[in-house]
Amino acid sequence: MKKLMGLFILMLGLLGCAAHSQLQNALPLGTVLGWHSHLYKIVKSVAPKNVGKKLGTVTYHGKVSGSFTVFESSGKPPSNSVVFETSTGQYYQANIEAKNS
């Protein structure tokens, strides 16, 4: 019985760590990320069904850090809106903020 209780407590602890880890990796709304010489502002999280063709990847260091996969936002040209996927599988729509020349 003690082994069973210990296993149960360990599983609860691991589940708690996973939930905490995913919250830490969430991108706050308003975060600005760059891709393909453009800046995009995160405006909302989106469901995987709103994700189009893969466009590429980008890596950031500093205030926002991580590696993100960039996709088309279904029904919108990449010059206006893209989707960033985090390493935890969360998707965020980002609208164009500025174009760099």
Side-chain angles (χ1 to χ4, degrees), residues 24-91:
Q24 276 186 324
N25 292 328
L27 289 175
L29 296 183
T31 298
V32 176
L33 300 174
W35 177 77
H36 200 62
S37 299
H38 296 13
L39 297 177
Y40 293 85
K41 184 188 279 188
I42 301 291
V43 293
K44 65 180 179 177
S45 59
V46 295
K49 67 179 182 179
N50 295 328
V51 175
K53 167 179 101 166
K54 181 178 174 179
L55 298 172
T57 57
V58 67
T59 303
Y60 290 93
H61 302 284
K63 198 171 187 179
V64 174
S65 60
S67 183
F68 301 94
T69 305
V70 183
F71 296 90
E72 284 184 356
S73 182
S74 290
K76 298 177 183 173
S79 58
N80 294 330
S81 183
V82 294
V83 172
F84 287 92
E85 179 189 15
T86 67
S87 59
T88 57
Q90 296 166 300
Y91 295 93

Side-chain angles (χ1 to χ4, degrees), residues 4-20:
L4 185 58
M5 284 299 288
L7 180 60
F8 180 71
I9 290 169
L10 176 64
M11 288 175 65
L12 281 177
L14 290 175
L15 287 173
C17 287
H20 180 68

